[in-house]
Amino acid sequence: MALLLMKQIRGQLTWCSSSLRFRVASATSWNALVSTQIRELYLSRTIKHFSTSVESEKLCWEGSSYGILLKKLEAALKCHDVDEAWVSFSDFRKLHGFPEDSSLVHRLITELSYSSESYWLRKACSLVLLLSKEKSGLLKGDVLTKLSLSLARSQLPNPATVILRLMLEKDMLPSMNILWLVFLHLVKTEIGTHLAANILAQLCGEFVKIRANKSKNAELMKPDTMMFNLVLDACVRFKLAFKGQQIMELMAQTGVIADAHSISIIAQIHEMNGQRDELKKYKVHVDRVLSKFDCHYRQYYDSLLSLHFKFNDIDAVAELVGHICRYKECVPIHKDKILEKIFLVPIGSHNLKDGLKMQIQPELLQKDTVLKVESRQELILFRNNGKLVFSNRALSKLIKEFKTAGRVSELSKLLLEIQKENCSLRSSDLCSNVINACVRLGWLELAHDILDDMQSSNAAIGVSTYISVLTAYFNRKMLREAKALLKQMRIATGTPMSLSDKMVVTESLSNMVDNASSNPIGKTDLYHSLIQEVKDENEKRIPSMVFELNSSIYYFCKAKMIEDAMRTYRRMQEMNIQPTEETFANLVCGYSSMEMYRDITILWGDMKRSMEFGNLLISRDLYEYLLINFLKGGYFERVMEIIDYMRKHNMFTDKAMYKTEFLKLHKNLYKNLKSSEARTDAQRNRLRYVLAFRKWAEID
């Protein structure tokens, strides 16, 4: 077949047969049969007659020409034809490697970056990775920046962070404005948030390292407040409490100043982690802000009130409710210099000499922000008139907790203050709504007590409020209580003594029905909130003691008093109090800070037992933290165990991060050792897990 083709070529190119000679060395390939001179001559004459005879070849005659393929690539790029450009580039690279003109490669990557199809974006990422291995000198910062932004915008977080990590490695990081946009797209999804948080942690690590060397370029790669806010806000949205805690501490470690948005987000992270004492440290600073910042710090007070309820601290609840009611009176007049002041909030105990401190500027707001904080409104709401008000859910919690504690007179006092200061959704008749809701729930004694307290305080009480309680007494045959209330009602409302009890009740009931029909909105909202609160109470709740003990463990771990932390943990077990994820997370962090990796393996055994009994659920972020610590300690059996757990629960794994950590610490571990060469069973077993990890992480 090859000889026949050679004869055909000779017949068509008779004019050059005397000057060009060739011989057939073997018939195994087309390139071996025809010399380069004949192929170039063939292409220069553009004889199309034989093009069909080589269609089965992967590369046609035309694709073997250096010059023509470059022209085809340039033409395709000029016409923005990515399909043709990719084919031409692939053909050229197979024959000649990368073009000497690096601008062509840059233009190709840029063209692929502008594509809206994920297929071409992934091709661009693969090309960049290939360049980093074979021709790293061809990499260009602005080209990689466009690609990373395009990948992030197209919701391809994994490839986007691969490019970002490559840029960090090559010292080609874009400006903070561009990084904001990349992170803004990354944090739209949960996986993207995990990756953005890990990238931010890596950035902080490099910054701290460079700053320690007193490099002039340190400030250029220092993450700013906006970047932290983007990641922290995403951690709240996706309920990544442990990850948020880590990022928040990195913020303090790098010396980034927290603004009003930061404090609002940090409040929610502390709430998720049950860290009330940490959140309380901000209050003295937040209380100083002007009234124009109420909308920003509404979330702070919401989170603090929520934690007071979780800790079952009724006194703290009453104090905070009263403070919010009188908030406008508490705001002092500031001078401009005070507004610009930066305050330090310690993380952990105030007495720690080397402890982290968060820098905050409570009245600092970014002018050009890409962040839109959409905090939840559960307990405290913000009204357009600039007033903070309590939601029906907050009032329901307030009523239930004070009722349980038997502190009705204090409850009445708070309700009257909330009503007076217009700090509820329906402040004008709040107390009456509370009484009516209590009656519908059958809490007649509570309703009557609040009614008495209102009367003692000379608060206005409608007849319908009396009738609501009175009717319930009659329905329950509680005639003695009904008669006493009737007498009380006659005195308070000025009802004529000549009217019979039956007439009073009938007439008042009629008025109550008319009032309800004329203004039904909001009357039953509080009642339904109370019902829901009672249902939540009957469901399984975390005891307040757990929050107290976790707080103690947290502080001991931050102070590196790990023995005291473990004593508190053992005390929980003795009291049959089930440790939570926060309990274990605090202990793991404590051990990690002291590089006590072996103790983490023991703690992991306790965690597995709790999971087996169905008493514990571990988040992906804690699994990740365990995996990193086991890698640092070289416990590869535990590493693969964590990976199996994550795989079983379909949890995302950031392989690039684990791979980097391994290469940094164990690059040459057992690299050339075979199983047959292992000296002991322990070494053979460890080798097996090391090789399993290398395979999983795609190392070598």
Side-chain angles (χ1 to χ4, degrees):
M1 179 64 183
L3 292 174
L4 179 60
L5 286 173
M6 291 297 300
K7 290 179 181 179
Q8 290 174 340
I9 292 174
R10 285 175 176 172
Q12 291 293 327
L13 304 177
T14 54
W15 58 276
C16 64
S17 59
S18 59
S19 60
L20 296 174
R21 295 181 180 180
F22 61 92
R23 63 182 181 178
V24 178
S26 72
T28 58
S29 69
W30 180 258
N31 290 338
L33 290 172
V34 184
S35 68
T36 303
Q37 291 175 324
I38 293 179
R39 282 184 288 152
E40 290 295 321
L41 183 59
Y42 172 83
L43 289 168
S44 67
R45 297 298 184 186
T46 62
I47 301 176
K48 300 180 181 179
H49 177 72
F50 298 104
S51 62
T52 57
S53 66
V54 292
E55 285 179 357
S56 60
E57 294 289 332
K58 191 170 185 180
L59 296 177
C60 61
W61 282 104
E62 188 177 358
S64 64
S65 169
Y66 186 96
I68 291 179
L69 270 177
L70 282 182
K71 289 180 180 179
K72 284 184 64 179
L73 177 57
E74 289 179 351
L77 290 173
K78 189 175 182 180
C79 296
H80 308 292
D81 187 347
V82 290
D83 296 84
E84 184 62 30
W86 184 257
V87 171
S88 300
F89 173 77
S90 299
D91 288 350
F92 183 92
R93 192 175 66 81
K94 288 172 185 175
L95 289 172
H96 309 289
F98 288 102
E100 293 181 1
D101 186 359
S102 61
S103 65
L104 286 176
V105 180
H106 297 153
R107 286 170 61 191
L108 175 61
I109 296 173
T110 301
E111 199 66 45
L112 294 173
S113 300
Y114 289 147
S115 175
S116 59
E117 298 179 24
S118 61
Y119 173 80
W120 291 119
L121 290 171
R122 292 182 186 277
K123 285 287 188 184
C125 183
S126 299
L127 177 55
V128 167
L129 293 179
L130 187 64
L131 281 170
S132 68
K133 293 178 181 178
E134 299 183 12
K135 293 280 186 178
S136 60
L138 294 181
L139 295 175
K140 197 174 179 183
D142 60 341
V143 175
L144 297 183
T145 298
K146 293 173 187 174
L147 177 57
S148 64
L149 182 57
S150 296
L151 288 165
R153 187 187 294 119
S154 298
Q155 290 306 300
L156 297 170
N158 243 330
T161 50
V162 165
I163 300 301
L164 282 179
R165 280 177 168 135
L166 181 62
M167 295 175 74
L168 180 60
E169 180 186 333
K170 301 294 182 183
D171 197 20
M172 295 179 178
L173 276 178
S175 65
M176 281 299 158
N177 290 341
I178 300 299
L179 275 178
W180 287 354
L181 295 178
V182 175
F183 273 60
L184 180 65
H185 291 294
L186 286 177
V187 298
K188 289 179 180 178
T189 63
E190 186 172 347
I191 289 178
T193 300
H194 288 304
L195 288 166
N198 291 341
I199 289 289
L200 181 55
Q202 192 173 347
L203 277 171
C204 292
E206 290 297 320
F207 166 72
V208 170
K209 187 190 303 181
I210 294 175
R211 183 178 61 180
N213 296 330
K214 298 181 179 180
S215 172
K216 296 180 180 179
N217 298 325
E219 290 300 317
L220 296 177
M221 67 179 307
K222 179 181 179 180
D224 61 4
T225 304
M226 181 56 59
M227 192 172 298
F228 275 100
N229 285 351
L230 284 170
V231 177
L232 287 171
D233 181 62
C235 288
V236 171
R237 278 188 286 111
F238 295 111
K239 301 187 185 304
L240 310 179
F242 184 58
K243 180 67 75 176
Q245 175 73 26
Q246 291 175 294
I247 297 300
M248 187 184 68
E249 292 183 7
L250 280 174
M251 191 174 190
Q253 186 179 354
T254 52
V256 176
I257 298 173
D259 64 1
H261 286 313
S262 309
I263 296 172
S264 176
I265 302 168
I266 287 170
Q268 296 175 78
I269 292 172
H270 282 314
E271 180 189 352
M272 289 191 293
N273 287 309
Q275 296 165 347
R276 184 177 66 150
D277 290 338
E278 291 294 290
L279 188 55
K280 285 164 66 176
K281 296 173 186 176
Y282 291 83
K283 189 174 182 299
V284 64
H285 306 294
V286 173
D287 285 346
R288 289 195 180 104
V289 299
L290 295 173
S291 58
K292 65 180 180 179
F293 285 88
D294 284 356
C295 58
H296 297 290
Y297 289 112
R298 179 208 61 78
Q299 182 60 62
Y300 172 82
Y301 292 113
D302 192 301
S303 296
L304 184 57
L305 183 59
S306 175
L307 284 174
H308 286 332
F309 280 122
K310 288 180 179 179
F311 277 74
N312 197 27
D313 191 342
I314 304 301
D315 292 326
V317 168
E319 183 181 352
L320 184 58
V321 168
H323 172 77
I324 292 173
C325 288
R326 300 182 295 273
Y327 182 68
K328 298 299 180 184
E329 303 172 8
C330 299
V331 178
I333 299 174
H334 293 291
K335 296 181 180 179
D336 292 341
K337 291 183 179 179
I338 297 178
L339 300 183
E340 297 173 358
K341 188 175 180 181
I342 297 173
F343 302 95
L344 297 177
V345 177
I347 295 177
S349 174
H350 292 80
N351 300 321
L352 294 179
K353 293 182 180 179
D354 300 324
L356 290 175
K357 289 181 173 60
M358 180 73 74
Q359 298 184 51
I360 66 168
Q361 199 168 346
E363 297 206 25
L364 173 65
L365 282 173
Q366 306 298 322
K367 294 180 180 179
D368 302 320
T369 178
V370 295
L371 174 68
K372 292 182 179 180
V373 178
E374 297 179 359
S375 56
R376 53 178 176 71
Q377 299 192 47
E378 292 189 5
L379 302 180
I380 300 176
L381 312 177
F382 179 77
R383 287 290 171 258
N384 293 331
N385 61 359
K387 193 75 175 177
L388 296 178
V389 300
F390 297 99
S391 68
N392 284 322
R393 184 181 178 190
L395 294 171
S396 299
K397 284 181 170 291
L398 193 70
I399 295 166
K400 183 183 68 63
E401 295 298 335
F402 274 84
K403 174 183 178 293
T404 303
R407 298 166 64 169
V408 180
S409 60
E410 294 176 62
L411 171 62
S412 301
K413 184 179 179 181
L414 280 174
L415 292 174
L416 286 167
E417 187 171 10
I418 293 170
Q419 178 173 283
K420 178 184 176 182
E421 299 295 337
N422 298 318
C423 288
S424 69
L425 295 175
R426 292 179 58 84
S427 55
S428 60
D429 55 356
L430 169 64
C431 292
S432 296
N433 285 342
V434 171
I435 291 171
N436 291 332
C438 290
V439 168
R440 294 183 66 180
L441 279 167
W443 299 348
L444 299 186
E445 184 178 355
L446 177 62
H448 200 153
D449 288 343
I450 295 174
L451 190 61
D452 289 342
D453 291 334
M454 289 179 66
Q455 194 170 0
S456 300
S457 302
N458 296 320
I461 307 172
V463 175
S464 61
T465 304
Y466 285 100
I467 293 301
S468 176
V469 182
L470 189 60
T471 304
Y473 280 148
F474 278 122
N475 291 337
R476 293 194 177 193
K477 309 298 183 184
M478 300 171 67
L479 300 181
R480 186 177 65 178
E481 290 81 357
K483 188 174 181 179
L485 184 59
L486 265 173
K487 183 179 179 181
Q488 185 179 340
M489 173 183 166
R490 287 179 187 276
I491 297 172
T493 61
T495 305
M497 298 296 292
S498 58
L499 293 178
S500 66
D501 292 348
K502 185 177 180 181
M503 291 176 64
V504 171
V505 174
T506 303
E507 183 179 349
S508 300
L509 279 173
S510 176
N511 293 333
M512 186 173 65
V513 171
D514 292 340
N515 291 334
S517 61
S518 63
N519 192 12
I521 301 174
K523 291 285 187 179
T524 60
D525 289 348
L526 183 59
Y527 166 69
H528 291 307
S529 294
L530 266 172
I531 289 179
Q532 187 60 48
E533 193 61 35
V534 172
K535 287 181 180 178
D536 293 343
E537 175 70 17
N538 294 332
E539 294 177 0
K540 188 176 181 180
R541 286 182 54 183
I542 299 175
S544 59
M545 179 60 73
V546 173
F547 293 103
E548 295 283 358
L549 293 171
N550 280 347
S551 295
S552 298
I553 291 173
Y554 173 81
Y555 273 86
F556 286 139
C557 289
K558 287 300 174 187
K560 297 188 177 181
M561 300 168 63
I562 198 67
E563 292 181 359
D564 294 277
M566 285 305 297
R567 271 195 289 269
T568 306
Y569 170 63
R570 299 302 178 199
R571 182 184 165 202
M572 291 180 76
Q573 294 176 319
E574 292 169 2
M575 297 170 65
N576 291 324
I577 296 177
Q578 179 59 44
T580 63
E581 184 187 15
E582 288 75 21
T583 311
F584 290 113
N586 290 334
L587 290 170
V588 172
C589 288
Y591 280 130
S592 178
S593 66
M594 302 175 71
E595 299 183 359
M596 299 172 67
Y597 303 116
R598 182 178 178 277
D599 295 271
I600 298 178
T601 65
I602 298 172
L603 195 63
W604 168 238
D606 288 355
M607 296 165 73
K608 285 191 293 184
R609 281 188 290 274
S610 293
M611 287 190 292
E612 289 170 2
F613 286 110
N615 296 321
L616 178 68
L617 286 176
I618 296 181
S619 67
R620 178 215 164 270
D621 293 326
L622 184 50
Y623 276 123
E624 179 183 88
Y625 195 65
L626 286 166
L627 202 159
I628 287 292
N629 277 278
F630 290 151
L631 265 179
K632 290 179 179 179
Y635 293 97
F636 286 94
E637 184 175 356
R638 301 285 82 80
V639 166
M640 294 311 299
E641 192 175 3
I642 296 291
I643 290 172
D644 287 340
Y645 267 91
M646 296 181 75
R647 185 186 296 134
K648 186 188 301 182
H649 293 89
N650 296 318
M651 293 179 177
F652 167 75
T653 52
D654 187 1
K655 285 188 180 182
M657 182 177 68
Y658 307 131
K659 179 179 179 179
T660 301
E661 193 69 24
F662 177 87
L663 293 176
K664 183 169 65 176
L665 300 172
H666 313 288
K667 183 176 182 179
N668 298 316
L669 181 64
Y670 298 154
K671 187 174 182 180
N672 300 316
L673 182 66
K674 298 179 180 179
S675 299
S676 58
E677 298 172 346
R679 297 178 180 178
T680 63
D681 290 340
Q683 189 181 47
R684 192 176 298 108
N685 191 47
R686 188 166 187 248
L687 172 61
R688 180 162 60 91
Y689 287 110
V690 170
L691 294 177
F693 176 81
R694 295 180 76 99
K695 181 180 179 181
W696 175 82
E698 299 174 5
I699 299 173
D700 300 334

